[in-house]
Amino acid sequence: MTMDARSAGASRPNRTPDLLPSALRIFDLSLGQMLWSRRSVLLGVLLGGPVLLALALRVISALYTSGFRINGAMAGGASIFGLMIWLLYIRFIIPVLGVFYGTALIADEVEDKTITYLFTRPVPRSAVLLGKYLAYLVCTSLLILPSVVLVYFLIVPIGGGSIGAAFPSLLKDLGMVVIGLAAYGAVFALVGTRMKRPLVAGLVFAFGWEPGVLLFPGYLKRATVAYYLQALVTHEMPQDSAVSLLLQVFREVPGVLTSLASLAIIVGAAVWLAGKTVEQREYVLDQ
Amino acid sequence: MTTTASLETATTATAAPSIVAADHLSKWYGQVIGLNDVSVSVPPGITGLLGPNGAGKSTFMKLLTGQLKPSKGSVTVLGEPIWQNPALYFRIGFCPEQDAFYDRMTGLEWVTALVRLNGLDEADADRTARRALEMVDLMEAAGKKIGAYSKGMRQRVKMAQALAHDPELLILDEPLSGMDPIMRRKTIRMIKDWGRAGKSIIVSSHILHEIESMTANILLINQGRILAEGNVHQIRDLIDEHPHTVYIKAERPRVLAREFLAYDDVLSLKFEDEAVVVQTGRPDAFYARLTELAASGASGAIFEVTSPDDNLQAVFQYLVKS
């Protein structure tokens, strides 16, 4: 055992490290951990669900029928795909991913007692949160985007739909999925840093508050992420039934630019507040 | 200097500036007091923080490493406040007590990843990590997953991440816990080498003999208060009056126990799972013979040596009463 490490400290900087380079280093450290975690394996299995459903619909349409009726109207492949994007991905899978990853960004490190190693390095604590948030975004995108693309290729040809013609809308859908992941992830990262039972609070927000207030007219729905995301949905839904017409009356959709700006503000504010919370908070680990 | 015991404590009024200065430092967790009105000045060099479990050592360490914010008072490390001061971590290395890792990473990957957080690029970080792993004699296992490491190897890889960036101040929380006798001796030697090379080290333990083998300068802590500060030799006589318990996890505990029966300082023996628990009246002599025994391998491999702190607790009770 020698003192060779002395040279390592010779060129040591001595000023407060910058946020972004520090966050990128945390991102490097966290991405692999996140991708190969048990959580990713489980949610990867969950993301196989829509693919299996799409496969089943494709087989049924090939063997028994040339199309499907939704609310009494004939729906082509593009409409079914749009419906799956909205109901399965935007309203269910993305909030689930957001809740399970977002609330755990810091909580996992605290629970595993590895947070000490990150908080005793020359990086701002908010960079730890930001780096892990970026890792979440990449990790969940890598999990969900292949699933969306597979569903697209299986569903759109149903009823004679053209894969090529609908391709631009697929790109928009993929963009919307990433924006959804960013928004829900940021909101739940904030929940995770501020609340004692973030998972419960996150689930209540995603599956209680959001669907609840969206059903009623008024301003309350603006306190949801889904309200802004629905403006980004590019697909026309079948609207022939009485229920869908009634929902259409209440459906108040903001403009695309308003939605994008609002979602950007939600992401920025939530990540900033989460970072500030991590900076201030003490994490007491059980020995 | 706060002393409730009748110890004649050594003065710390030296010309050198203190590496750690606590001024009426208190920390409480709700109703529970972790540290109570501590004012202390730690000089450069090696300082041992000695106290039983629950004494406040870890709270003090966490305050020194900026993981906790003082409830009252202040603490400065290397002349600067540590709370919310990330730049100071360029100058500090911390080896925590908890046995926590990213188990799927190899030792080299883990140390490299942490060293990168000090601003080093991939190549420099790799070089620095390798050097640090060599320093703790872990280079042979550098490519193994940490999940497959023994307790002693895990302690060493924690040490490696703490010293890799060549900090001015090393803060080591129970660094010898779980190490085998040979590695324990090597680590003690390494810590002393660092001290001789001008580094400052604060090392915590609940075992006097560990601290004594590294430094004569100690802080005695109990129930959230610094009881005494100064030379270790002044309290070692008190410690020696109390039997010392050693837990030894070994390949062949019964063979080991037969060896121990021949030692006149061994007061009692008992078996627990794959370990033998020994009470000795002369811990120094016992540890020396145990190290020789481990090196010879005559009684099989010795995996882990730990000491419960009942004996130290008894000494603290004595000190507080007196």
Side-chain angles (χ1 to χ4, degrees), chain A residues 1 5-6 12 25 28 109 116 121 279 282, chain B residues 27 69 84 90 98 102 116 118 135 161 166:
Chain A
M1 293 182 214
R6 239 173 297 175
R12 180 169 33 223
R25 290 196 159 95
D28 277 351
E109 298 277 352
T116 306
R121 290 279 157 190
E279 290 276 355
E282 297 171 290
Chain B
K27 181 70 199 174
K69 184 183 176 183
Q84 293 189 326
F90 284 117
Q98 68 259 19
Y102 303 123
R116 283 207 69 213
N118 282 58
M135 288 172 74
Q161 65 80 31
D166 185 32

mmCIF file with all atom_site columns, all heavy atoms in Angstrom, chain A residues 1 5-6 12 25 28 109 116 121 279 282, chain B residues 27 69 84 90 98 102 116 118 135 161 166:
data_model
loop_
_atom_site.group_PDB
_atom_site.id
_atom_site.type_symbol
_atom_site.label_atom_id
_atom_site.label_alt_id
_atom_site.label_comp_id
_atom_site.label_asym_id
_atom_site.label_entity_id
_atom_site.label_seq_id
_atom_site.pdbx_PDB_ins_code
_atom_site.Cartn_x
_atom_site.Cartn_y
_atom_site.Cartn_z
_atom_site.occupancy
_atom_site.B_iso_or_equiv
_atom_site.pdbx_formal_charge
_atom_site.auth_seq_id
_atom_site.auth_comp_id
_atom_site.auth_asym_id
_atom_site.auth_atom_id
_atom_site.pdbx_PDB_model_num
ATOM 1   N N   . MET A 1 1   ? 0.843   -1.191 0.000   1.00 0.00 ? 1   MET A N   1
ATOM 2   C CA  . MET A 1 1   ? 0.000   0.000  0.000   1.00 0.00 ? 1   MET A CA  1
ATOM 3   C C   . MET A 1 1   ? 0.878   1.241  0.000   1.00 0.00 ? 1   MET A C   1
ATOM 4   O O   . MET A 1 1   ? 1.671   1.451  0.889   1.00 0.00 ? 1   MET A O   1
ATOM 5   C CB  . MET A 1 1   ? -0.894  0.015  1.227   1.00 0.00 ? 1   MET A CB  1
ATOM 6   C CG  . MET A 1 1   ? -1.901  -1.073 1.202   1.00 0.00 ? 1   MET A CG  1
ATOM 7   S SD  . MET A 1 1   ? -2.921  -0.945 2.647   1.00 0.00 ? 1   MET A SD  1
ATOM 8   C CE  . MET A 1 1   ? -3.235  -2.653 2.933   1.00 0.00 ? 1   MET A CE  1
ATOM 9   N N   . ALA A 1 5   ? -1.754  7.655  -4.763  1.00 0.00 ? 5   ALA A N   1
ATOM 10  C CA  . ALA A 1 5   ? -2.943  8.429  -5.125  1.00 0.00 ? 5   ALA A CA  1
ATOM 11  C C   . ALA A 1 5   ? -2.744  9.922  -4.958  1.00 0.00 ? 5   ALA A C   1
ATOM 12  O O   . ALA A 1 5   ? -3.553  10.711 -5.369  1.00 0.00 ? 5   ALA A O   1
ATOM 13  C CB  . ALA A 1 5   ? -4.145  7.983  -4.305  1.00 0.00 ? 5   ALA A CB  1
ATOM 14  N N   . ARG A 1 6   ? -1.628  10.293 -4.362  1.00 0.00 ? 6   ARG A N   1
ATOM 15  C CA  . ARG A 1 6   ? -1.385  11.705 -4.104  1.00 0.00 ? 6   ARG A CA  1
ATOM 16  C C   . ARG A 1 6   ? -1.486  12.546 -5.378  1.00 0.00 ? 6   ARG A C   1
ATOM 17  O O   . ARG A 1 6   ? -1.996  13.634 -5.394  1.00 0.00 ? 6   ARG A O   1
ATOM 18  C CB  . ARG A 1 6   ? 0.010   11.892 -3.506  1.00 0.00 ? 6   ARG A CB  1
ATOM 19  C CG  . ARG A 1 6   ? -0.037  12.544 -2.154  1.00 0.00 ? 6   ARG A CG  1
ATOM 20  C CD  . ARG A 1 6   ? 1.315   12.555 -1.536  1.00 0.00 ? 6   ARG A CD  1
ATOM 21  N NE  . ARG A 1 6   ? 1.805   11.216 -1.293  1.00 0.00 ? 6   ARG A NE  1
ATOM 22  C CZ  . ARG A 1 6   ? 3.016   10.956 -0.841  1.00 0.00 ? 6   ARG A CZ  1
ATOM 23  N NH1 . ARG A 1 6   ? 3.854   11.919 -0.609  1.00 0.00 ? 6   ARG A NH1 1
ATOM 24  N NH2 . ARG A 1 6   ? 3.390   9.731  -0.611  1.00 0.00 ? 6   ARG A NH2 1
ATOM 25  N N   . ARG A 1 12  ? -6.724  19.117 -8.469  1.00 0.00 ? 12  ARG A N   1
ATOM 26  C CA  . ARG A 1 12  ? -8.087  19.121 -7.965  1.00 0.00 ? 12  ARG A CA  1
ATOM 27  C C   . ARG A 1 12  ? -8.734  20.507 -8.072  1.00 0.00 ? 12  ARG A C   1
ATOM 28  O O   . ARG A 1 12  ? -8.184  21.489 -7.597  1.00 0.00 ? 12  ARG A O   1
ATOM 29  C CB  . ARG A 1 12  ? -8.036  18.695 -6.503  1.00 0.00 ? 12  ARG A CB  1
ATOM 30  C CG  . ARG A 1 12  ? -9.362  18.639 -5.830  1.00 0.00 ? 12  ARG A CG  1
ATOM 31  C CD  . ARG A 1 12  ? -9.247  17.968 -4.484  1.00 0.00 ? 12  ARG A CD  1
ATOM 32  N NE  . ARG A 1 12  ? -8.005  18.191 -3.793  1.00 0.00 ? 12  ARG A NE  1
ATOM 33  C CZ  . ARG A 1 12  ? -7.342  17.257 -3.154  1.00 0.00 ? 12  ARG A CZ  1
ATOM 34  N NH1 . ARG A 1 12  ? -7.778  16.025 -3.154  1.00 0.00 ? 12  ARG A NH1 1
ATOM 35  N NH2 . ARG A 1 12  ? -6.237  17.532 -2.514  1.00 0.00 ? 12  ARG A NH2 1
ATOM 36  N N   . ARG A 1 25  ? -22.991 13.122 -15.199 1.00 0.00 ? 25  ARG A N   1
ATOM 37  C CA  . ARG A 1 25  ? -22.203 12.042 -14.584 1.00 0.00 ? 25  ARG A CA  1
ATOM 38  C C   . ARG A 1 25  ? -23.118 11.140 -13.749 1.00 0.00 ? 25  ARG A C   1
ATOM 39  O O   . ARG A 1 25  ? -22.952 9.917  -13.735 1.00 0.00 ? 25  ARG A O   1
ATOM 40  C CB  . ARG A 1 25  ? -21.084 12.623 -13.734 1.00 0.00 ? 25  ARG A CB  1
ATOM 41  C CG  . ARG A 1 25  ? -20.019 13.272 -14.586 1.00 0.00 ? 25  ARG A CG  1
ATOM 42  C CD  . ARG A 1 25  ? -18.736 13.513 -13.833 1.00 0.00 ? 25  ARG A CD  1
ATOM 43  N NE  . ARG A 1 25  ? -17.640 13.651 -14.760 1.00 0.00 ? 25  ARG A NE  1
ATOM 44  C CZ  . ARG A 1 25  ? -17.184 14.802 -15.223 1.00 0.00 ? 25  ARG A CZ  1
ATOM 45  N NH1 . ARG A 1 25  ? -17.730 15.928 -14.839 1.00 0.00 ? 25  ARG A NH1 1
ATOM 46  N NH2 . ARG A 1 25  ? -16.174 14.841 -16.061 1.00 0.00 ? 25  ARG A NH2 1
ATOM 47  N N   . ASP A 1 28  ? -24.924 8.937  -16.163 1.00 0.00 ? 28  ASP A N   1
ATOM 48  C CA  . ASP A 1 28  ? -24.085 7.795  -16.574 1.00 0.00 ? 28  ASP A CA  1
ATOM 49  C C   . ASP A 1 28  ? -24.134 6.675  -15.540 1.00 0.00 ? 28  ASP A C   1
ATOM 50  O O   . ASP A 1 28  ? -24.238 5.509  -15.875 1.00 0.00 ? 28  ASP A O   1
ATOM 51  C CB  . ASP A 1 28  ? -22.612 8.239  -16.692 1.00 0.00 ? 28  ASP A CB  1
ATOM 52  C CG  . ASP A 1 28  ? -22.334 8.880  -18.027 1.00 0.00 ? 28  ASP A CG  1
ATOM 53  O OD1 . ASP A 1 28  ? -23.216 8.828  -18.900 1.00 0.00 ? 28  ASP A OD1 1
ATOM 54  O OD2 . ASP A 1 28  ? -21.228 9.445  -18.197 1.00 0.00 ? 28  ASP A OD2 1
ATOM 55  N N   . GLU A 1 109 ? -32.347 5.133  -3.639  1.00 0.00 ? 109 GLU A N   1
ATOM 56  C CA  . GLU A 1 109 ? -30.979 5.304  -3.130  1.00 0.00 ? 109 GLU A CA  1
ATOM 57  C C   . GLU A 1 109 ? -30.983 5.385  -1.599  1.00 0.00 ? 109 GLU A C   1
ATOM 58  O O   . GLU A 1 109 ? -30.060 4.907  -0.949  1.00 0.00 ? 109 GLU A O   1
ATOM 59  C CB  . GLU A 1 109 ? -30.343 6.579  -3.701  1.00 0.00 ? 109 GLU A CB  1
ATOM 60  C CG  . GLU A 1 109 ? -30.182 6.589  -5.199  1.00 0.00 ? 109 GLU A CG  1
ATOM 61  C CD  . GLU A 1 109 ? -28.934 5.869  -5.689  1.00 0.00 ? 109 GLU A CD  1
ATOM 62  O OE1 . GLU A 1 109 ? -28.106 5.486  -4.864  1.00 0.00 ? 109 GLU A OE1 1
ATOM 63  O OE2 . GLU A 1 109 ? -28.821 5.684  -6.917  1.00 0.00 ? 109 GLU A OE2 1
ATOM 64  N N   . THR A 1 116 ? -25.541 7.983  0.374   1.00 0.00 ? 116 THR A N   1
ATOM 65  C CA  . THR A 1 116 ? -24.367 8.574  1.026   1.00 0.00 ? 116 THR A CA  1
ATOM 66  C C   . THR A 1 116 ? -23.230 8.793  0.025   1.00 0.00 ? 116 THR A C   1
ATOM 67  O O   . THR A 1 116 ? -22.555 9.815  0.059   1.00 0.00 ? 116 THR A O   1
ATOM 68  C CB  . THR A 1 116 ? -23.875 7.626  2.148   1.00 0.00 ? 116 THR A CB  1
ATOM 69  O OG1 . THR A 1 116 ? -24.976 7.359  2.993   1.00 0.00 ? 116 THR A OG1 1
ATOM 70  C CG2 . THR A 1 116 ? -22.753 8.239  2.947   1.00 0.00 ? 116 THR A CG2 1
ATOM 71  N N   . ARG A 1 121 ? -19.985 13.446 -2.580  1.00 0.00 ? 121 ARG A N   1
ATOM 72  C CA  . ARG A 1 121 ? -19.122 13.703 -3.735  1.00 0.00 ? 121 ARG A CA  1
ATOM 73  C C   . ARG A 1 121 ? -19.312 15.160 -4.155  1.00 0.00 ? 121 ARG A C   1
ATOM 74  O O   . ARG A 1 121 ? -20.367 15.749 -3.872  1.00 0.00 ? 121 ARG A O   1
ATOM 75  C CB  . ARG A 1 121 ? -19.518 12.787 -4.905  1.00 0.00 ? 121 ARG A CB  1
ATOM 76  C CG  . ARG A 1 121 ? -19.175 11.336 -4.677  1.00 0.00 ? 121 ARG A CG  1
ATOM 77  C CD  . ARG A 1 121 ? -17.714 11.063 -4.982  1.00 0.00 ? 121 ARG A CD  1
ATOM 78  N NE  . ARG A 1 121 ? -17.262 9.873  -4.271  1.00 0.00 ? 121 ARG A NE  1
ATOM 79  C CZ  . ARG A 1 121 ? -15.995 9.487  -4.191  1.00 0.00 ? 121 ARG A CZ  1
ATOM 80  N NH1 . ARG A 1 121 ? -15.056 10.192 -4.769  1.00 0.00 ? 121 ARG A NH1 1
ATOM 81  N NH2 . ARG A 1 121 ? -15.652 8.414  -3.531  1.00 0.00 ? 121 ARG A NH2 1
ATOM 82  N N   . GLU A 1 279 ? -31.902 19.437 -2.126  1.00 0.00 ? 279 GLU A N   1
ATOM 83  C CA  . GLU A 1 279 ? -30.816 20.278 -1.583  1.00 0.00 ? 279 GLU A CA  1
ATOM 84  C C   . GLU A 1 279 ? -30.997 20.532 -0.084  1.00 0.00 ? 279 GLU A C   1
ATOM 85  O O   . GLU A 1 279 ? -30.039 20.539 0.674   1.00 0.00 ? 279 GLU A O   1
ATOM 86  C CB  . GLU A 1 279 ? -30.784 21.643 -2.301  1.00 0.00 ? 279 GLU A CB  1
ATOM 87  C CG  . GLU A 1 279 ? -30.326 21.596 -3.744  1.00 0.00 ? 279 GLU A CG  1
ATOM 88  C CD  . GLU A 1 279 ? -28.818 21.621 -3.884  1.00 0.00 ? 279 GLU A CD  1
ATOM 89  O OE1 . GLU A 1 279 ? -28.135 21.766 -2.865  1.00 0.00 ? 279 GLU A OE1 1
ATOM 90  O OE2 . GLU A 1 279 ? -28.332 21.466 -5.027  1.00 0.00 ? 279 GLU A OE2 1
ATOM 91  N N   . GLU A 1 282 ? -32.670 16.525 4.772   1.00 0.00 ? 282 GLU A N   1
ATOM 92  C CA  . GLU A 1 282 ? -31.712 15.603 5.387   1.00 0.00 ? 282 GLU A CA  1
ATOM 93  C C   . GLU A 1 282 ? -32.246 14.188 5.205   1.00 0.00 ? 282 GLU A C   1
ATOM 94  O O   . GLU A 1 282 ? -33.439 13.956 5.399   1.00 0.00 ? 282 GLU A O   1
ATOM 95  C CB  . GLU A 1 282 ? -31.567 15.883 6.872   1.00 0.00 ? 282 GLU A CB  1
ATOM 96  C CG  . GLU A 1 282 ? -31.019 17.248 7.183   1.00 0.00 ? 282 GLU A CG  1
ATOM 97  C CD  . GLU A 1 282 ? -31.106 17.527 8.666   1.00 0.00 ? 282 GLU A CD  1
ATOM 98  O OE1 . GLU A 1 282 ? -32.227 17.699 9.165   1.00 0.00 ? 282 GLU A OE1 1
ATOM 99  O OE2 . GLU A 1 282 ? -30.066 17.542 9.308   1.00 0.00 ? 282 GLU A OE2 1
ATOM 100 N N   . LYS B 2 27  ? -27.567 18.018 17.526  1.00 0.00 ? 27  LYS B N   1
ATOM 101 C CA  . LYS B 2 27  ? -28.433 17.445 16.488  1.00 0.00 ? 27  LYS B CA  1
ATOM 102 C C   . LYS B 2 27  ? -29.479 16.605 17.173  1.00 0.00 ? 27  LYS B C   1
ATOM 103 O O   . LYS B 2 27  ? -29.163 15.745 17.995  1.00 0.00 ? 27  LYS B O   1
ATOM 104 C CB  . LYS B 2 27  ? -27.615 16.570 15.534  1.00 0.00 ? 27  LYS B CB  1
ATOM 105 C CG  . LYS B 2 27  ? -28.450 15.956 14.421  1.00 0.00 ? 27  LYS B CG  1
ATOM 106 C CD  . LYS B 2 27  ? -28.911 17.000 13.447  1.00 0.00 ? 27  LYS B CD  1
ATOM 107 C CE  . LYS B 2 27  ? -30.082 16.533 12.621  1.00 0.00 ? 27  LYS B CE  1
ATOM 108 N NZ  . LYS B 2 27  ? -30.630 17.601 11.761  1.00 0.00 ? 27  LYS B NZ  1
ATOM 109 N N   . LYS B 2 69  ? -27.795 18.478 8.760   1.00 0.00 ? 69  LYS B N   1
ATOM 110 C CA  . LYS B 2 69  ? -27.654 19.902 9.065   1.00 0.00 ? 69  LYS B CA  1
ATOM 111 C C   . LYS B 2 69  ? -27.717 20.051 10.586  1.00 0.00 ? 69  LYS B C   1
ATOM 112 O O   . LYS B 2 69  ? -28.595 19.438 11.214  1.00 0.00 ? 69  LYS B O   1
ATOM 113 C CB  . LYS B 2 69  ? -28.824 20.628 8.417   1.00 0.00 ? 69  LYS B CB  1
ATOM 114 C CG  . LYS B 2 69  ? -28.827 22.110 8.538   1.00 0.00 ? 69  LYS B CG  1
ATOM 115 C CD  . LYS B 2 69  ? -30.111 22.617 7.890   1.00 0.00 ? 69  LYS B CD  1
ATOM 116 C CE  . LYS B 2 69  ? -30.241 24.110 8.065   1.00 0.00 ? 69  LYS B CE  1
ATOM 117 N NZ  . LYS B 2 69  ? -31.501 24.587 7.498   1.00 0.00 ? 69  LYS B NZ  1
ATOM 118 N N   . GLN B 2 84  ? -24.347 21.910 2.561   1.00 0.00 ? 84  GLN B N   1
ATOM 119 C CA  . GLN B 2 84  ? -24.626 22.533 1.257   1.00 0.00 ? 84  GLN B CA  1
ATOM 120 C C   . GLN B 2 84  ? -23.376 23.185 0.658   1.00 0.00 ? 84  GLN B C   1
ATOM 121 O O   . GLN B 2 84  ? -23.444 24.279 0.103   1.00 0.00 ? 84  GLN B O   1
ATOM 122 C CB  . GLN B 2 84  ? -25.746 23.550 1.375   1.00 0.00 ? 84  GLN B CB  1
ATOM 123 C CG  . GLN B 2 84  ? -27.084 22.884 1.694   1.00 0.00 ? 84  GLN B CG  1
ATOM 124 C CD  . GLN B 2 84  ? -28.249 23.845 1.600   1.00 0.00 ? 84  GLN B CD  1
ATOM 125 O OE1 . GLN B 2 84  ? -28.113 25.020 1.916   1.00 0.00 ? 84  GLN B OE1 1
ATOM 126 N NE2 . GLN B 2 84  ? -29.407 23.353 1.189   1.00 0.00 ? 84  GLN B NE2 1
ATOM 127 N N   . PHE B 2 90  ? -14.258 17.770 -2.743  1.00 0.00 ? 90  PHE B N   1
ATOM 128 C CA  . PHE B 2 90  ? -13.009 17.519 -3.463  1.00 0.00 ? 90  PHE B CA  1
ATOM 129 C C   . PHE B 2 90  ? -11.899 17.205 -2.464  1.00 0.00 ? 90  PHE B C   1
ATOM 130 O O   . PHE B 2 90  ? -10.938 16.536 -2.780  1.00 0.00 ? 90  PHE B O   1
ATOM 131 C CB  . PHE B 2 90  ? -12.596 18.756 -4.284  1.00 0.00 ? 90  PHE B CB  1
ATOM 132 C CG  . PHE B 2 90  ? -13.385 18.958 -5.550  1.00 0.00 ? 90  PHE B CG  1
ATOM 133 C CD1 . PHE B 2 90  ? -14.176 20.077 -5.725  1.00 0.00 ? 90  PHE B CD1 1
ATOM 134 C CD2 . PHE B 2 90  ? -13.323 18.029 -6.577  1.00 0.00 ? 90  PHE B CD2 1
ATOM 135 C CE1 . PHE B 2 90  ? -14.892 20.275 -6.898  1.00 0.00 ? 90  PHE B CE1 1
ATOM 136 C CE2 . PHE B 2 90  ? -14.036 18.209 -7.750  1.00 0.00 ? 90  PHE B CE2 1
ATOM 137 C CZ  . PHE B 2 90  ? -14.820 19.335 -7.912  1.00 0.00 ? 90  PHE B CZ  1
ATOM 138 N N   . GLN B 2 98  ? -22.343 1.901  6.707   1.00 0.00 ? 98  GLN B N   1
ATOM 139 C CA  . GLN B 2 98  ? -23.331 0.968  6.158   1.00 0.00 ? 98  GLN B CA  1
ATOM 140 C C   . GLN B 2 98  ? -22.764 0.144  5.005   1.00 0.00 ? 98  GLN B C   1
ATOM 141 O O   . GLN B 2 98  ? -21.988 0.632  4.199   1.00 0.00 ? 98  GLN B O   1
ATOM 142 C CB  . GLN B 2 98  ? -24.613 1.689  5.733   1.00 0.00 ? 98  GLN B CB  1
ATOM 143 C CG  . GLN B 2 98  ? -24.492 2.600  4.552   1.00 0.00 ? 98  GLN B CG  1
ATOM 144 C CD  . GLN B 2 98  ? -24.400 4.047  4.984   1.00 0.00 ? 98  GLN B CD  1
ATOM 145 O OE1 . GLN B 2 98  ? -24.091 4.351  6.119   1.00 0.00 ? 98  GLN B OE1 1
ATOM 146 N NE2 . GLN B 2 98  ? -24.652 4.963  4.071   1.00 0.00 ? 98  GLN B NE2 1
ATOM 147 N N   . TYR B 2 102 ? -23.912 -0.735 -5.119  1.00 0.00 ? 102 TYR B N   1
ATOM 148 C CA  . TYR B 2 102 ? -24.619 -1.172 -6.324  1.00 0.00 ? 102 TYR B CA  1
ATOM 149 C C   . TYR B 2 102 ? -24.068 -2.569 -6.628  1.00 0.00 ? 102 TYR B C   1
ATOM 150 O O   . TYR B 2 102 ? -23.033 -2.702 -7.283  1.00 0.00 ? 102 TYR B O   1
ATOM 151 C CB  . TYR B 2 102 ? -24.358 -0.224 -7.487  1.00 0.00 ? 102 TYR B CB  1
ATOM 152 C CG  . TYR B 2 102 ? -24.737 1.210  -7.210  1.00 0.00 ? 102 TYR B CG  1
ATOM 153 C CD1 . TYR B 2 102 ? -23.812 2.230  -7.315  1.00 0.00 ? 102 TYR B CD1 1
ATOM 154 C CD2 . TYR B 2 102 ? -26.039 1.536  -6.849  1.00 0.00 ? 102 TYR B CD2 1
ATOM 155 C CE1 . TYR B 2 102 ? -24.161 3.550  -7.056  1.00 0.00 ? 102 TYR B CE1 1
ATOM 156 C CE2 . TYR B 2 102 ? -26.391 2.858  -6.590  1.00 0.00 ? 102 TYR B CE2 1
ATOM 157 C CZ  . TYR B 2 102 ? -25.450 3.852  -6.695  1.00 0.00 ? 102 TYR B CZ  1
ATOM 158 O OH  . TYR B 2 102 ? -25.792 5.153  -6.435  1.00 0.00 ? 102 TYR B OH  1
ATOM 159 N N   . ARG B 2 116 ? -15.576 9.423  -11.024 1.00 0.00 ? 116 ARG B N   1
ATOM 160 C CA  . ARG B 2 116 ? -15.999 10.308 -12.126 1.00 0.00 ? 116 ARG B CA  1
ATOM 161 C C   . ARG B 2 116 ? -16.808 11.488 -11.589 1.00 0.00 ? 116 ARG B C   1
ATOM 162 O O   . ARG B 2 116 ? -16.809 12.561 -12.173 1.00 0.00 ? 116 ARG B O   1
ATOM 163 C CB  . ARG B 2 116 ? -16.841 9.528  -13.141 1.00 0.00 ? 116 ARG B CB  1
ATOM 164 C CG  . ARG B 2 116 ? -15.999 8.645  -14.045 1.00 0.00 ? 116 ARG B CG  1
ATOM 165 C CD  . ARG B 2 116 ? -16.678 8.432  -15.377 1.00 0.00 ? 116 ARG B CD  1
ATOM 166 N NE  . ARG B 2 116 ? -16.695 9.666  -16.147 1.00 0.00 ? 116 ARG B NE  1
ATOM 167 C CZ  . ARG B 2 116 ? -17.657 10.016 -16.989 1.00 0.00 ? 116 ARG B CZ  1
ATOM 168 N NH1 . ARG B 2 116 ? -18.694 9.246  -17.168 1.00 0.00 ? 116 ARG B NH1 1
ATOM 169 N NH2 . ARG B 2 116 ? -17.582 11.136 -17.677 1.00 0.00 ? 116 ARG B NH2 1
ATOM 170 N N   . ASN B 2 118 ? -16.079 13.187 -9.257  1.00 0.00 ? 118 ASN B N   1
ATOM 171 C CA  . ASN B 2 118 ? -15.125 14.226 -8.852  1.00 0.00 ? 118 ASN B CA  1
ATOM 172 C C   . ASN B 2 118 ? -14.630 15.026 -10.059 1.00 0.00 ? 118 ASN B C   1
ATOM 173 O O   . ASN B 2 118 ? -13.699 15.804 -9.944  1.00 0.00 ? 118 ASN B O   1
ATOM 174 C CB  . ASN B 2 118 ? -13.924 13.603 -8.147  1.00 0.00 ? 118 ASN B CB  1
ATOM 175 C CG  . ASN B 2 118 ? -14.261 13.228 -6.725  1.00 0.00 ? 118 ASN B CG  1
ATOM 176 O OD1 . ASN B 2 118 ? -15.181 12.448 -6.501  1.00 0.00 ? 118 ASN B OD1 1
ATOM 177 N ND2 . ASN B 2 118 ? -13.549 13.786 -5.769  1.00 0.00 ? 118 ASN B ND2 1
ATOM 178 N N   . MET B 2 135 ? -4.178  0.072  -3.673  1.00 0.00 ? 135 MET B N   1
ATOM 179 C CA  . MET B 2 135 ? -3.817  0.525  -2.316  1.00 0.00 ? 135 MET B CA  1
ATOM 180 C C   . MET B 2 135 ? -4.506  -0.296 -1.241  1.00 0.00 ? 135 MET B C   1
ATOM 181 O O   . MET B 2 135 ? -3.977  -0.449 -0.146  1.00 0.00 ? 135 MET B O   1
ATOM 182 C CB  . MET B 2 135 ? -4.164  2.007  -2.136  1.00 0.00 ? 135 MET B CB  1
ATOM 183 C CG  . MET B 2 135 ? -3.234  2.920  -2.918  1.00 0.00 ? 135 MET B CG  1
ATOM 184 S SD  . MET B 2 135 ? -3.788  4.617  -2.866  1.00 0.00 ? 135 MET B SD  1
ATOM 185 C CE  . MET B 2 135 ? -3.336  5.039  -1.194  1.00 0.00 ? 135 MET B CE  1
ATOM 186 N N   . GLN B 2 161 ? -12.993 3.812  -2.548  1.00 0.00 ? 161 GLN B N   1
ATOM 187 C CA  . GLN B 2 161 ? -13.726 4.964  -3.096  1.00 0.00 ? 161 GLN B CA  1
ATOM 188 C C   . GLN B 2 161 ? -13.494 6.226  -2.265  1.00 0.00 ? 161 GLN B C   1
ATOM 189 O O   . GLN B 2 161 ? -13.571 7.333  -2.787  1.00 0.00 ? 161 GLN B O   1
ATOM 190 C CB  . GLN B 2 161 ? -15.226 4.645  -3.248  1.00 0.00 ? 161 GLN B CB  1
ATOM 191 C CG  . GLN B 2 161 ? -16.032 4.389  -1.980  1.00 0.00 ? 161 GLN B CG  1
ATOM 192 C CD  . GLN B 2 161 ? -16.446 5.652  -1.244  1.00 0.00 ? 161 GLN B CD  1
ATOM 193 O OE1 . GLN B 2 161 ? -16.662 6.692  -1.861  1.00 0.00 ? 161 GLN B OE1 1
ATOM 194 N NE2 . GLN B 2 161 ? -16.532 5.555  0.079   1.00 0.00 ? 161 GLN B NE2 1
ATOM 195 N N   . ASP B 2 166 ? -7.573  11.177 -3.489  1.00 0.00 ? 166 ASP B N   1
ATOM 196 C CA  . ASP B 2 166 ? -6.510  11.755 -2.678  1.00 0.00 ? 166 ASP B CA  1
ATOM 197 C C   . ASP B 2 166 ? -6.985  12.942 -1.839  1.00 0.00 ? 166 ASP B C   1
ATOM 198 O O   . ASP B 2 166 ? -6.512  14.071 -1.998  1.00 0.00 ? 166 ASP B O   1
ATOM 199 C CB  . ASP B 2 166 ? -5.348  12.192 -3.586  1.00 0.00 ? 166 ASP B CB  1
ATOM 200 C CG  . ASP B 2 166 ? -4.166  12.688 -2.761  1.00 0.00 ? 166 ASP B CG  1
ATOM 201 O OD1 . ASP B 2 166 ? -3.963  12.166 -1.646  1.00 0.00 ? 166 ASP B OD1 1
ATOM 202 O OD2 . ASP B 2 166 ? -3.475  13.609 -3.222  1.00 0.00 ? 166 ASP B OD2 1
#
